[in-house]
Amino acid sequence: MRLATLAAGLLAAAASALPALAQQPADTVAAIRARGMLTCGVAPSTAGFSIPDSRGEWRGIDVDSCRAVAAAVLGDATKVRFIPASTQQRFTMLQSGEIDLLVRSTTWTLGREAALGLAFAGVNFYDGQGFMVKRASGVTTARALDGATVCVQPGTTTELNMADYFRANRIRFTPVIIDNIEELRAAFIAGRCDVYTNDASSLASFRASQGPNAEQYLLLPEIISKEPLGPVVRKGDWKFFDVVRWSHFAMVNAEEMGINSTNLATFNDSGNPDVQRFMGRSGDLGKQLGLNNDFAVQIVRQVGNFSEVWERNITPIGIPRGINSLWTQGGLQYAPPMR
């Protein structure tokens, strides 16, 4: 009887363990290596952040964040398949495993991190929501937008922030809700709405894309929200979370130490212990992440440090570093030490 009871207990314990085993998070790093490719969700067309160039090559700060992860995991920054993700579909695509990583000008909020089963691994762009009007309207402040129609994307923090701001300031408005970003911008240009609201960086990107017509559009001075933008992963696979987080921190630390893609080799024989750890010559930091010890070197060699990424992608659309400067220069970009 005791043996039967013991056997029954063991079977019951094994059965109860099956759901837990079935719910073990996927090993994203192993999947990427088996596939030989990182899949990364990005915005379809946002200059400076993610947009195909005339040759179909993806460019932008979010694109380079994806490439940094590929360089860390695969040793090759070109091994990325970029998948355009709409504002409505982006989280579902990540949750379902259609993409490994989401880097799509996505704002880090408590609600998103608590409710969606997702985790933000860092901030590659500190932003805030603004408003754009046509200069010919004569409007120079958001307080003068009473009764305006406002073009906005649905399912975004932008939509919620806009409603909160206007109601708090007792400003009447009519939303013109359009999911596709290109259709939304076309609606604004065509006069279907008086105002276009989005992250200030996105508005600047749009204006820069207008070439000689850029001066027709005015970005109003009000910034009405905090919009920390950065890479997003599925919760549970903390190994991959660490890889994504430290891929960004590697670029920031490289800038702080003066290491870039053109002078990297000159640091090989540095006597600075921090530099030696960064270069993978001591400390086994890469191995602790499940990567090669020179993962940070591969990122900087193939993608650049954070300053290089910024200068390549953001400076051309006219956005100054500002709060995205290093902490040593009065900004918010601050990376923990690699030790």
Side-chain angles (χ1 to χ4, degrees):
M1 181 66 70
R2 289 179 181 175
L3 288 174
T5 302
L6 178 60
L10 290 172
L11 287 172
S16 65
L18 286 176
L21 290 171
Q23 294 171 11
Q24 288 297 310
D27 186 337
T28 307
V29 171
I32 292 168
R33 285 175 173 158
R35 190 191 308 127
M37 187 77 66
L38 169 75
T39 55
C40 200
V42 295
S45 179
T46 302
F49 288 80
S50 56
I51 190 170
D53 63 16
S54 59
R55 297 177 299 173
E57 188 79 14
W58 284 89
R59 306 288 182 189
I61 190 171
D62 288 345
V63 167
D64 281 345
S65 290
C66 298
R67 290 195 171 116
V69 174
V73 175
L74 299 171
D76 188 340
T78 68
K79 299 295 186 181
V80 186
R81 183 159 65 94
F82 296 101
I83 301 178
S86 71
T87 56
Q88 296 286 61
Q89 298 173 333
R90 55 184 164 170
F91 297 125
T92 302
M93 291 170 67
L94 183 57
Q95 290 163 334
S96 68
E98 182 179 348
I99 55 177
D100 301 312
L101 174 65
L102 176 67
V103 195
R104 193 211 174 281
S105 300
T106 297
T107 302
W108 186 352
T109 70
L110 184 154
R112 286 173 171 174
E113 195 158 80
L116 299 179
L118 306 175
F120 286 76
V123 178
N124 71 349
F125 195 102
Y126 289 94
D127 208 351
Q129 184 174 334
F131 300 98
M132 180 174 284
V133 297
K134 291 181 178 177
R135 196 176 294 273
S137 70
V139 173
T140 57
T141 173
R143 298 298 180 93
L145 294 176
D146 192 46
T149 52
V150 186
C151 278
V152 63
Q153 287 183 288
T156 61
T157 56
T158 306
E159 185 181 19
L160 297 174
N161 294 336
M162 171 194 70
D164 287 348
Y165 177 80
F166 284 147
R167 286 167 186 155
N169 289 282
R170 298 183 180 180
I171 299 172
R172 295 169 300 155
F173 72 100
T174 302
V176 178
I177 298 174
I178 302 172
D179 182 39
N180 183 280
I181 188 68
E182 295 302 328
E183 292 177 9
L184 183 146
R185 290 168 174 168
F188 173 60
I189 292 171
R192 287 179 54 194
C193 52
D194 305 309
V195 188
Y196 169 27
T197 186
N198 210 326
D199 294 344
S201 61
S202 181
L203 297 177
S205 170
F206 159 73
R207 184 171 59 185
S209 71
Q210 298 305 298
N213 294 325
E215 288 304 308
Q216 295 180 18
Y217 304 101
L218 176 67
L219 186 58
L220 299 181
E222 289 85 358
I223 299 295
I224 67 169
S225 70
K226 295 184 292 184
E227 305 292 331
L229 313 178
V232 194
V233 300
R234 289 179 290 277
K235 277 185 178 177
D237 188 351
W238 300 115
K239 176 183 176 182
F240 186 55
F241 173 89
D242 287 343
V243 168
V244 175
R245 165 173 280 185
W246 284 97
S247 292
H248 172 67
F249 285 158
M251 291 189 287
V252 175
N253 271 316
E255 180 184 356
E256 187 176 337
M257 290 188 287
I259 303 172
N260 61 46
S261 61
T262 63
N263 68 11
L264 191 62
T266 66
F267 286 84
N268 284 332
D269 299 320
S270 170
N272 184 321
D274 287 331
V275 172
Q276 285 295 298
R277 285 187 287 267
F278 182 91
M279 300 294 288
R281 292 175 174 268
S282 66
D284 280 345
L285 298 181
K287 288 183 179 179
Q288 292 175 33
L289 290 171
L291 306 173
N292 291 333
N293 281 334
D294 70 342
F295 80 97
V297 171
Q298 294 303 325
I299 291 172
V300 175
R301 177 178 292 134
Q302 300 181 47
V303 182
N305 68 22
F306 190 71
S307 176
E308 290 178 284
V309 169
W310 185 279
E311 292 296 323
R312 182 165 60 240
N313 299 300
I314 304 301
T315 297
I317 64 174
I319 300 177
R321 279 288 292 264
I323 60 173
N324 284 286
S325 297
L326 293 180
W327 67 284
T328 54
Q329 300 166 4
L332 297 177
Q333 287 294 347
Y334 179 105
M338 295 177 67
R339 67 169 83 106

